[in-house]
Amino acid sequence: MGQCSRVVIIGGGFAGLSAAKALARERRVSITLVDRRNHHLFQPLLYQVAMAGLSPADIAAPIRSILSKQKNVSVACGDLQRVLPEQNQVLTSFGTLQYDYLLLACGAMHSYFGHNDWEEFAPGLKTIEQATEIRRRVLEAFEKAEITTDADERRKLLTFIVVGAGPTGVELAGAIGEMSRFTLSRDFRNIDSTIARIILIEAGPRILPMFAEQLSSRAMRDLEQLGVQTWTSSRVTKIDDSGVEVSGDRIHASTVLWAAGVQASPLGQQMGFECDRQGRVLVAEDLSVPGHKNIFVAGDQCCFKSGDQPALPGVAPVAVQQGRHFASVIRADLDQKTRPSFHYFDKGQMATIGRSRAIAQVGKYRMSGFLAWVAWLVVHIYFLTGFRNRLFVILSWAWSFLTFRRGARLILTRRWRLFEEANT
Amino acid sequence: MGQCSRVVIIGGGFAGLSAAKALARERRVSITLVDRRNHHLFQPLLYQVAMAGLSPADIAAPIRSILSKQKNVSVACGDLQRVLPEQNQVLTSFGTLQYDYLLLACGAMHSYFGHNDWEEFAPGLKTIEQATEIRRRVLEAFEKAEITTDADERRKLLTFIVVGAGPTGVELAGAIGEMSRFTLSRDFRNIDSTIARIILIEAGPRILPMFAEQLSSRAMRDLEQLGVQTWTSSRVTKIDDSGVEVSGDRIHASTVLWAAGVQASPLGQQMGFECDRQGRVLVAEDLSVPGHKNIFVAGDQCCFKSGDQPALPGVAPVAVQQGRHFASVIRADLDQKTRPSFHYFDKGQMATIGRSRAIAQVGKYRMSGFLAWVAWLVVHIYFLTGFRNRLFVILSWAWSFLTFRRGARLILTRRWRLFEEANT
């Protein structure tokens, strides 16, 4: 194993970053962290960027800068192209890296269940670019409704559909409700933004199925008060530029957002590892890939099952704990001890609805309403990376809470060239 | 003139916004402000967005929200298509507007002096999209330099060229110098970011020609200390993907930024108004267009000359004062008084160089160094729109000043679709 074990981490999300940090004082390793993006993204708050409450830089920080003081890490911005397990090598867009330990933490993207053409009409929410695209669509719908003289068109523009009622879908729908009822209501002259229809469509029998039934019905009532209609047991059969089709019925809407399906990075399947239906790699008790003692998978890309329990959900705490576990396995190997098995310590889960309500569940303990929202706030601020970001997010929230305004209501295009535009 | 004079303002920049605000308590007018963007942009700080110091939302605010309490204004987001002076009408993308008074305040864009194909290789800095594009290019150059193994390529990646040494060019060059010397120096392992070459190219004999000679040479020395080479009397003859050609010599650089020329909105020329070489409309003493008593031009689109003085420069104070003057001309008309002539009250000018230096000139009074920088800070914070923005900008600056870090170091692409990308 030589002087220093070479650790390669693919992905700077929660799993990859916590793995690198957990090895901070370990002099026996030298780490290379590869990510195609230069920034770590605090995904649990991404919906707030989409809803104009926060700026992208409030919830993202350069990976390089987060790890700048940790001398045993170097960060490289590039794409993973192939893994060669026999040679212990990864090929990247900037050259070949040799590893003694490899952590795959490439995360997941949204899935349209075979209807990738729906993406154009119903963006998902995984990257900052998608968040600003959603922000653009929602704000532009109100702007266009203000100037149109056609009543049908106005109705279509003021109809917002969110597909999928997991935490992201509920948070998006709640935030649109809040925005139309409070933030925008004073700014328009011709339309009454409070008449906006927000429809949350869920294929399953209830919203937020991972929570206790009592909490999901509480969330449904809270959503209703923000003007969100919830359609459960409803399946979307088509999405196009005029709206969606739900079990054959057409609903006209100019803004459709997708929060329904998730698919792991295709890498696991490409490498021939055993995967579950969502493309997540099935791992052994120490998080290694069966048959490859030095390749590990963590985070949303990993399917970990202990006994006959269901696989762990794709949430940040799971990723963080798995990243740390990877570090402790390396330490065990270097100390020539037995590898520990991964155990998930469930700290509970929470979801927020609008500006001052949330639901939370920790084991058997349940909480809802304003107190749960305060708890949600504290937890999210606590885990946000970087002092600057925490300060700025607290201030943005305090400002929005007191004034009902939102700080990042910018409609930006994706074009920057003047003359390209002028010529077309 | 009926009950209420209809005022149409095209453009929500400094001129248009100050005109609308100056008419706030005037019950005899009803105003429509049209802009193709939903936000007012505080352009003097745009270079800080390009240099990762501020987030777009820190220096931009929705026009609708700025004017939400002013009951005599409605804001419409759309494009101006034509002005019909005979009918007193403007045609827009959302319909026809009738006016009694029209203010054209459409601003200016950068000009490549007939070489529009240079834009692809050398973006200018007028919009938020351009600022984030510049940010992406500068940060990506450092990222690529970190992973390349080719020394020539690395040298090219670490060479930054800024064309044009007016305030924007100087501020951009100084900020790149500061970023490479302080912010980034601790974050990279393979490159020494402090060896970055920054070249500021100016066709004229000195930088910042609008300032006194003593101040421009002071600025030049300050730039030098940040690693910026200044090439005066040098004309760029070609720009392509490998760099620039200066009087026949080729300099290899992957990042070239354009801060050289400005061109007013083409509207004035299209309407057959008399314009100067930069396309700015020549106006009468009351800012009206000769021959059209009820059409006015203000801001960067306006060419105002009094006597044999040179035309007023395209800076925010001129635009603000001209916007207010438009309001006072309307008041004079409504009161059946003589229209006042426009007089510019020159409050002086300033430019900042890097993190703690600036130059300022007010009449005969001159200032440079740290004190001038503090003055620059106070003036820019004071004029920034909106309490939230002021607070956030102060905090961002305080944080950057104390830590040498920058809060918005995000490399963002212009693509948001996953599956589009996967297919190409």
Side-chain angles (χ1 to χ4, degrees):
Chain A
M1 216 163 274
Q3 290 285 65
C4 213
S5 287
R6 287 157 301 184
V7 176
V8 172
I9 299 173
I10 310 293
F14 285 109
L17 202 59
S18 76
K21 281 181 167 174
L23 289 167
R25 270 157 238 264
E26 182 54 79
R27 295 189 180 178
R28 293 170 292 179
V29 300
S30 128
I31 308 166
T32 306
L33 192 155
V34 181
D35 199 299
R36 62 158 68 120
R37 316 301 300 263
N38 83 323
H39 54 269
H40 168 73
L41 178 63
F42 193 78
Q43 282 216 357
L45 291 180
L46 189 57
Y47 83 97
Q48 295 228 350
V49 174
M51 291 297 127
L54 294 175
S55 281
D58 295 335
I59 60 157
I63 300 169
R64 189 175 288 301
S65 158
I66 298 172
L67 296 173
S68 72
K69 286 191 181 149
Q70 189 174 329
K71 294 297 171 205
N72 64 353
V73 179
S74 70
V75 176
C77 202
D79 275 310
L80 174 68
Q81 286 165 346
R82 262 178 78 190
V83 181
L84 306 173
E86 282 77 34
Q87 289 96 315
N88 290 335
Q89 285 180 341
V90 288
L91 309 185
T92 71
S93 52
F94 55 90
T96 302
L97 295 171
Q98 194 75 36
Y99 64 80
D100 298 309
Y101 291 94
L102 175 65
L103 178 64
L104 300 174
C106 307
M109 51 191 196
H110 44 264
S111 154
Y112 291 87
F113 309 124
H115 297 281
N116 289 354
D117 54 306
W118 290 359
E119 188 183 36
E120 185 183 345
F121 312 109
L125 185 65
K126 282 279 171 195
T127 65
I128 288 183
E129 287 84 354
Q130 287 162 352
T132 50
E133 172 69 16
I134 290 177
R135 182 178 75 185
R136 188 183 72 72
R137 290 185 183 210
V138 171
L139 294 176
E140 216 170 74
F142 285 102
E143 289 294 340
K144 285 184 178 161
E146 170 82 354
I147 53 180
T148 187
T149 48
D150 175 339
D152 286 343
E153 179 68 12
R154 189 178 307 131
R155 189 179 160 81
K156 183 183 164 192
L157 284 162
L158 292 178
T159 302
F160 300 86
I161 292 176
V162 179
V163 184
T168 303
V170 166
E171 281 162 352
L172 280 173
I176 301 176
E178 192 210 308
M179 190 149 71
S180 62
R181 258 132 202 87
F182 302 112
T183 314
L184 300 178
S185 57
R186 295 166 303 187
D187 287 2
F188 289 89
R189 299 283 183 262
N190 302 325
I191 56 166
D192 176 5
S193 67
T194 67
I195 60 157
R197 283 206 305 166
I198 303 124
I199 305 171
L200 179 62
I201 301 179
E202 166 62 38
R206 64 186 176 101
I207 69 168
L208 299 169
M210 61 291 283
F211 286 85
E213 262 197 75
Q214 173 205 346
L215 288 179
S216 20
S217 51
R218 169 67 192 252
M220 215 162 127
R221 268 178 294 143
D222 287 346
L223 282 172
E224 228 173 78
Q225 288 187 12
L226 292 168
V228 178
Q229 305 170 23
T230 309
W231 296 3
T232 49
S233 305
S234 303
R235 200 169 285 278
V236 168
T237 45
K238 195 176 174 187
I239 305 183
D240 57 28
D241 62 354
S242 79
V244 304
E245 230 174 69
V246 180
S247 329
D249 293 326
R250 174 157 289 283
I251 303 133
H252 292 278
S254 10
T255 313
V256 184
L257 309 179
W258 185 260
V262 155
Q263 182 75 27
S265 153
L267 185 73
Q269 277 161 333
Q270 282 160 16
M271 292 185 57
F273 297 157
E274 195 183 349
C275 294
D276 72 353
R277 268 199 314 158
Q278 290 171 43
R280 298 184 298 179
V281 180
L282 300 172
V283 293
E285 294 224 309
D286 61 353
L287 301 182
S288 68
V289 178
H292 300 275
K293 293 291 285 177
N294 65 343
I295 302 182
F296 296 77
V297 189
D300 286 0
Q301 199 185 356
C302 167
C303 177
F304 182 84
K305 284 182 186 179
S306 88
D308 46 2
Q309 298 271 313
L312 291 175
V315 294
V318 171
V320 168
Q321 293 180 32
Q322 289 180 336
R324 288 195 194 130
H325 184 81
F326 169 70
S328 57
V329 167
I330 293 181
R331 280 222 185 76
D333 278 11
L334 293 173
D335 295 338
Q336 303 188 325
K337 290 183 182 161
T338 325
R339 287 183 171 189
S341 300
F342 176 68
H343 291 287
Y344 176 54
F345 176 62
D346 187 358
K347 294 178 185 159
Q349 50 189 348
M350 32 188 32
T352 171
I353 301 114
R355 73 189 297 262
S356 55
R357 281 165 190 187
I359 57 173
Q361 179 172 335
V362 185
K364 281 176 190 166
Y365 186 67
R366 291 161 196 176
M367 205 156 66
S368 59
F370 186 73
L371 263 183
W373 179 74
V374 172
W376 177 90
L377 219 84
V378 170
V379 167
H380 282 78
I381 286 291
Y382 181 79
F383 284 105
L384 190 59
T385 307
F387 166 74
R388 180 191 181 278
N389 296 19
R390 269 178 221 162
L391 178 69
F392 279 67
V393 168
I394 290 175
L395 286 169
S396 292
W397 286 350
W399 185 82
S400 298
F401 190 79
L402 294 173
T403 64
F404 286 92
R405 286 173 182 266
R406 281 162 182 269
R409 268 168 56 195
L410 306 181
I411 299 179
L412 302 177
T413 64
R414 273 163 290 138
R415 293 163 304 179
W416 62 271
R417 291 179 65 178
L418 286 172
F419 299 110
E420 194 183 37
E421 289 172 49
N423 295 338
T424 53
Chain B
M1 216 164 273
Q3 290 283 64
C4 213
S5 287
R6 287 157 300 183
V7 176
V8 172
I9 299 173
I10 310 293
F14 285 109
L17 203 58
S18 76
K21 280 180 168 175
L23 289 167
R25 270 156 238 265
E26 182 55 79
R27 294 191 181 177
R28 293 170 293 179
V29 301
S30 126
I31 309 166
T32 306
L33 192 155
V34 181
D35 199 299
R36 62 160 67 122
R37 316 300 300 263
N38 82 322
H39 54 270
H40 168 72
L41 178 62
F42 192 79
Q43 281 215 359
L45 291 180
L46 190 57
Y47 83 97
Q48 295 231 350
V49 173
M51 292 297 129
L54 294 175
S55 283
D58 295 336
I59 60 158
I63 299 169
R64 189 175 288 301
S65 158
I66 297 171
L67 297 172
S68 71
K69 285 191 182 149
Q70 189 174 329
K71 295 296 172 207
N72 65 353
V73 180
S74 71
V75 176
C77 202
D79 276 310
L80 174 68
Q81 286 166 344
R82 263 178 80 191
V83 181
L84 306 173
E86 283 76 34
Q87 289 94 317
N88 290 335
Q89 285 181 339
V90 288
L91 308 187
T92 70
S93 52
F94 55 90
T96 302
L97 296 172
Q98 195 75 36
Y99 65 79
D100 298 309
Y101 292 94
L102 174 65
L103 178 64
L104 300 174
C106 307
M109 51 188 196
H110 43 266
S111 154
Y112 292 87
F113 309 124
H115 296 280
N116 289 355
D117 53 308
W118 291 357
E119 187 183 37
E120 184 183 346
F121 313 109
L125 185 64
K126 281 278 172 197
T127 65
I128 287 183
E129 287 83 356
Q130 288 162 352
T132 51
E133 172 69 15
I134 290 177
R135 182 177 76 184
R136 187 183 72 73
R137 290 186 184 212
V138 171
L139 295 175
E140 214 169 75
F142 285 103
E143 290 292 339
K144 285 184 179 163
E146 169 82 352
I147 52 180
T148 188
T149 49
D150 177 337
D152 286 342
E153 178 69 13
R154 189 178 305 128
R155 190 178 158 81
K156 183 183 164 193
L157 284 162
L158 292 178
T159 302
F160 299 87
I161 291 176
V162 180
V163 185
T168 303
V170 166
E171 281 162 352
L172 281 174
I176 300 177
E178 191 212 309
M179 188 150 71
S180 62
R181 257 129 203 90
F182 302 112
T183 314
L184 300 178
S185 59
R186 296 166 303 186
D187 287 1
F188 289 89
R189 300 285 183 261
N190 302 326
I191 56 166
D192 175 5
S193 68
T194 66
I195 60 158
R197 284 206 305 166
I198 302 123
I199 305 171
L200 180 62
I201 300 178
E202 167 61 38
R206 65 185 175 101
I207 68 168
L208 298 169
M210 59 292 283
F211 286 86
E213 262 196 78
Q214 171 205 347
L215 288 178
S216 29
S217 52
R218 170 68 193 252
M220 215 162 128
R221 270 178 292 144
D222 286 345
L223 282 172
E224 228 173 77
Q225 287 186 14
L226 292 169
V228 178
Q229 305 169 25
T230 309
W231 295 2
T232 49
S233 303
S234 303
R235 199 170 285 279
V236 168
T237 45
K238 194 177 176 188
I239 305 183
D240 56 27
D241 60 354
S242 78
V244 305
E245 229 174 71
V246 181
S247 329
D249 293 325
R250 174 157 288 284
I251 304 133
H252 292 278
S254 8
T255 313
V256 183
L257 308 180
W258 185 261
V262 156
Q263 182 75 26
S265 154
L267 185 72
Q269 277 161 332
Q270 283 161 14
M271 292 185 58
F273 296 157
E274 195 184 348
C275 295
D276 72 355
R277 268 200 313 158
Q278 291 170 44
R280 297 183 299 179
V281 179
L282 299 172
V283 293
E285 295 223 310
D286 61 352
L287 302 181
S288 68
V289 178
H292 300 274
K293 294 289 289 175
N294 64 344
I295 303 183
F296 298 77
V297 189
D300 287 0
Q301 199 184 356
C302 168
C303 179
F304 181 84
K305 283 182 187 178
S306 88
D308 46 2
Q309 298 270 312
L312 291 175
V315 294
V318 172
V320 169
Q321 291 179 32
Q322 290 181 336
R324 288 195 195 129
H325 183 80
F326 169 71
S328 57
V329 168
I330 294 180
R331 280 222 185 77
D333 278 9
L334 294 174
D335 295 339
Q336 302 186 325
K337 292 183 180 160
T338 326
R339 287 185 172 188
S341 300
F342 177 68
H343 292 286
Y344 176 54
F345 175 63
D346 187 357
K347 293 179 187 160
Q349 48 189 350
M350 30 187 32
T352 171
I353 301 115
R355 73 189 297 267
S356 55
R357 282 166 188 184
I359 57 174
Q361 180 173 335
V362 185
K364 280 174 190 169
Y365 186 67
R366 292 163 196 176
M367 203 157 64
S368 59
F370 185 73
L371 263 183
W373 179 74
V374 171
W376 178 90
L377 219 82
V378 171
V379 168
H380 282 78
I381 285 291
Y382 180 78
F383 284 105
L384 190 58
T385 308
F387 166 75
R388 180 191 182 278
N389 295 20
R390 271 178 221 163
L391 178 69
F392 278 68
V393 168
I394 291 175
L395 286 169
S396 292
W397 286 350
W399 186 83
S400 299
F401 190 79
L402 295 173
T403 63
F404 286 92
R405 287 174 180 266
R406 281 162 181 270
R409 269 167 55 195
L410 304 183
I411 299 178
L412 300 179
T413 64
R414 273 163 290 138
R415 293 164 304 180
W416 61 270
R417 291 179 64 180
L418 286 172
F419 298 109
E420 193 182 39
E421 289 172 47
N423 294 340
T424 52

